[in-house]
Amino acid sequence: MKHSLEGWICAILFLAMTALGFANVVVRYLTSYSFAATQELLLTGFLLITVFGAALAAREGQHLAVTFFAGLFGTRVERAVTLFAAGVSLVLLLLAAWFTLDLLRGQIATGVTTPGLGLPAWYYSAPLPLAFALIALRTVQGAIADLRAPTPRSPIDA
Amino acid sequence: MPDLSAGSQMLILFGVLLVLRVPVAFSLGISAMYAMWHMGFGLDMVGDLIAAGITKFSLLAIPFFILAGMLMGTAGLADRMVRFFRILIGGMPGGMGVVGVVVSLFWGAVSGSGPASVAAIGPMIMRGMVEDGYSRAYAAALVCTGAALSIVIPPSIGLVVYGVIAEVSIGQLFIAAILPGLVMGAMMLATLPFARRGRPDTAGRLARQNADELALTDAPWAAQLWHAFRAAFWGLFTPVVILGGIYVGIFTPTEAAIVAAVYAIILGFAYRSLTLITLIGAVQDAARASAVVMMVVTFASLFGWVVTVDDVVGTYSAALLGFSHAPFLVLMVMALVLLIAGMFMDAITIMFICLPIFLPVVHEMGWDPVWFGIFLSINLAIGLFTPPVGINLFVAANITGMSLERIAGAALPFLLSSVLGIVVIAAWPELTQYLLTWMQ
């Protein structure tokens, strides 16, 4: 069990999604009536557990990568490669944070609403820039931990 | 590189970043953004593409199937299954090998991910097989191969992703995959008689440890079997809940995944093997494992956008079609590409890179996309246990402390039988149709 911010967000959201999804199946099966809004909430939860779950994975170096070639040329090359990979990941994640912020600003400016519940769309995308910044932070932390105590890791749960 | 299109440059950049151990998802993202910028589209739609890449209802099955698989493991269902099949068929000569294959097939119908299956069922099966006289490396190899079938036998995360990319019904894919999955299992069984087996060690320390762990007693066989069956019943019933629900049309695959997760939680609490703390831990692990897959899917959607706009696809699939007019040859070239790619990359990434190129060919050749999805996933399953990068091998090496090379070497007979299995599925496409036809 993990006590980080993203750990709690994932646990609570995912359990809530399971409950909501199950309630929807039961209600639909019993009454042939389904709440359309459920789908919207589930997909939003999905988006959030994906980005916050990615932060969990980044801290533990669990993102899928081709580790074979980097390990061929000894420790020094491997350390250089670790730094390079973290640097490139950082650039991408900050770009993703920036452009999801851009999306958020666009949604606020145009006042676009969601089809299911009619809520302002930016409610749903508001956590995205924060989450990508968090993945970036966890990537840096993961790389530092890796450089200090390099352990052979494999993406076990993918 | 003035004479290379932006799309081709993107592919090269992606390859270079992969070799330099940049995570697959981020390599996809950064090379796609480079290409978008290079083509003069700017990056304004990046935020939108990221959000849209994730929020697809069919993909929602992925986190729930991963959660269900993890909870079934935490709930101790694997132990109960191994115990039941060990008492049922483990007594015949070499029987634990058969138990290993059968449990792998059953577990494949509970879990949608290969490496997770190795971790869940691996240790108990390996200990049982060693007691039965198999070598440790052979036992590990059998588990790696059997667990790889998790991505063929429904529910399968690979098939969910294929369904979304190829726009094929995921429910149909699940049903179509059942018979080919069983054929692959039969192929594994057929390799068992050729295994070199030492004397069973029925009185040693390992045997006592196994007997302890599985609570084997001196009670009459039938009584033990009945007891083990009752203990394993709800676990064995899981595939009926998941596939039966989809089969008779009560659930969509996503709903089946949600129901399976709830079913696992209830079983875990009923068996008193799940606590609130382990539940939260399993939920977090599932969120993380699902995020690893979904990050690839997310950034692959940027990649896919460029591939479509730049028409990289047209060039490469035309080349593939121009290679030969014999469908079987083209298919074998595809299989070869998939097997080689599978030695280095994971199944989901390979699908996103290869499918845009393969699907137009499938269409052109008039092949059934459902059958092709099954064919593809079997090829990619083999990639889970071929070196240098076979994720199942990593997990098995971690569990046993043996080197990856030794396990990979022992997996050779299974590799050969799996390739034979591929040929059977390729030559007999109706195999994917029987259950679907019977359903209507």
Side-chain angles (χ1 to χ4, degrees):
Chain A
M1 182 168 152
K2 301 167 187 76
H3 291 284
S4 54
L5 169 72
E6 60 270 36
W8 282 111
I9 293 178
C10 285
I12 293 167
L13 270 179
F14 204 170
L15 282 174
M17 285 164 65
T18 312
L20 180 68
F22 188 67
N24 189 44
V25 174
V26 171
V27 167
R28 206 207 52 185
Y29 189 60
L30 293 180
T31 64
S32 76
Y33 170 86
S34 94
F35 7 92
T38 322
Q39 188 161 332
E40 190 172 301
L41 289 174
L42 283 178
L43 286 176
T44 308
F46 185 28
L47 184 63
L48 296 180
I49 60 165
T50 298
V51 283
F52 286 104
L56 284 177
R59 180 64 185 82
E60 292 160 32
Q62 294 268 347
H63 280 288
L64 289 170
V66 179
T67 48
F68 173 66
F69 300 103
L72 287 181
F73 304 101
T75 335
R76 286 179 58 151
V77 176
E78 198 166 1
R79 286 171 74 91
V81 166
T82 304
L83 269 178
F84 175 80
V88 172
S89 307
L90 194 63
V91 170
L92 172 86
L93 290 164
L94 292 178
L95 280 171
W98 176 257
F99 286 107
T100 45
L101 186 65
D102 213 41
L103 169 77
L104 178 63
R105 282 196 298 237
Q107 285 174 338
I108 294 176
T110 54
V112 56
T113 56
T114 63
L117 287 170
L119 293 170
W122 68 266
Y123 283 16
Y124 295 159
S125 14
L128 285 181
L130 171 77
F132 276 108
L134 188 63
I135 308 174
L137 173 69
R138 298 300 188 220
T139 301
V140 173
Q141 289 177 323
I144 291 173
D146 200 21
L147 287 174
R148 281 201 183 136
T151 43
R153 280 184 304 203
S154 59
I156 288 179
D157 306 302
Chain B
M1 294 184 277
D3 48 348
L4 269 180
S5 76
S8 299
Q9 289 183 37
M10 173 179 80
L11 287 176
I12 293 168
L13 179 61
F14 171 66
V16 171
L17 291 176
L18 270 193
V19 169
L20 292 172
R21 218 176 69 182
V22 178
V24 176
F26 307 153
S27 303
L28 285 166
I30 209 126
S31 48
M33 284 194 203
Y34 163 77
M36 289 161 109
W37 166 80
H38 186 75
M39 289 190 293
F41 283 100
L43 296 173
D44 292 339
M45 69 283 244
V46 165
D48 220 15
L49 283 173
I50 287 176
I54 300 174
T55 48
K56 295 196 178 96
F57 193 68
S58 315
L59 291 173
L60 191 53
I62 292 175
F64 286 114
F65 276 133
I66 291 180
L67 178 63
M70 285 200 176
L71 287 170
M72 301 273 180
T74 314
L77 285 179
D79 313 10
R80 289 162 187 258
M81 257 187 216
V82 173
R83 179 158 178 264
F84 169 67
F85 284 113
R86 179 176 169 139
I87 294 172
L88 183 69
I89 39 181
M92 19 189 252
M96 277 311 292
V98 182
V99 172
V101 175
V102 173
V103 173
S104 297
L105 294 179
F106 254 96
W107 199 255
V110 169
S111 158
S113 134
S117 299
V118 178
I121 60 176
M124 298 190 93
I125 290 176
M126 284 190 260
R127 281 198 294 269
M129 284 181 70
V130 172
E131 180 191 330
D132 201 12
Y134 290 97
S135 76
R136 287 199 327 140
Y138 190 83
L142 179 134
V143 168
C144 287
T145 316
L149 292 180
S150 290
I151 75 162
V152 178
I153 293 170
S156 148
I157 287 156
L159 288 177
V160 171
V161 173
Y162 176 83
V164 170
I165 301 178
E167 295 175 354
V168 181
S169 148
I170 294 164
Q172 282 194 10
L173 283 168
F174 277 9
I175 303 300
I178 296 175
L179 290 181
L182 292 178
V183 167
M184 297 304 287
M187 290 288 174
M188 283 183 71
L189 285 179
T191 42
L192 284 180
F194 300 102
R196 210 179 317 143
R197 210 159 55 82
R199 278 168 62 82
D201 163 32
T202 45
R205 200 170 52 85
L206 183 66
R208 280 201 303 276
Q209 188 196 337
N210 280 340
D212 255 13
E213 194 175 54
L214 294 173
L216 301 176
T217 60
D218 295 327
W221 181 76
Q224 282 203 59
L225 186 68
W226 174 241
H227 185 254
F229 175 72
R230 282 208 332 219
F233 178 77
W234 294 109
L236 298 171
F237 196 66
T238 315
V240 181
V241 174
I242 297 177
L243 293 177
I246 298 174
Y247 200 96
V248 297
I250 306 177
F251 309 137
T252 65
T254 303
E255 289 171 340
I258 295 172
V259 171
V262 173
Y263 182 75
I265 294 176
I266 294 172
L267 274 189
F269 282 125
Y271 288 162
R272 297 173 193 279
S273 42
L274 200 63
T275 61
L276 195 59
I277 307 263
T278 49
L279 173 65
I280 291 176
V283 168
Q284 289 175 333
D285 286 347
R288 189 194 58 197
S290 148
V292 167
V293 176
M294 286 307 302
M295 273 288 120
V296 175
V297 174
T298 307
F299 287 110
S301 62
L302 297 184
F303 203 81
W305 187 87
V306 175
V307 165
T308 326
V309 171
D310 189 58
D311 200 32
V312 191
V313 175
T315 333
Y316 289 105
S317 52
L320 191 55
L321 276 170
F323 167 77
S324 166
H325 292 292
F328 200 72
L329 267 182
V330 173
L331 191 64
M332 285 302 117
V333 170
M334 288 177 171
L336 199 63
V337 169
L338 291 171
L339 289 177
I340 293 173
M343 289 165 66
F344 297 94
M345 282 186 277
D346 67 286
I348 309 294
T349 312
I350 298 172
M351 280 194 204
F352 272 103
I353 297 170
C354 291
L355 279 180
I357 298 165
F358 287 179
L359 285 174
V361 178
V362 170
H363 185 75
E364 184 74 21
M365 292 281 182
W367 293 334
D368 172 18
V370 170
W371 162 78
F372 185 75
I374 313 299
F375 175 77
L376 173 104
S377 64
I378 292 175
N379 277 283
L380 296 179
I382 292 177
L384 292 178
F385 64 93
T386 47
V389 186
I391 302 180
N392 284 8
L393 294 176
F394 274 113
V395 181
N398 269 346
I399 294 176
T400 57
M402 271 187 287
S403 76
L404 198 140
E405 291 79 18
R406 255 191 84 195
I407 305 176
L412 214 58
F414 294 115
L415 179 64
L416 290 177
S417 71
S418 304
V419 170
L420 216 60
I422 292 184
V423 176
V424 171
I425 313 292
W428 192 11
E430 294 83 8
L431 197 61
T432 55
Q433 286 298 325
Y434 294 133
L435 283 181
L436 285 172
T437 323
W438 189 56
M439 221 169 114
Q440 281 150 9

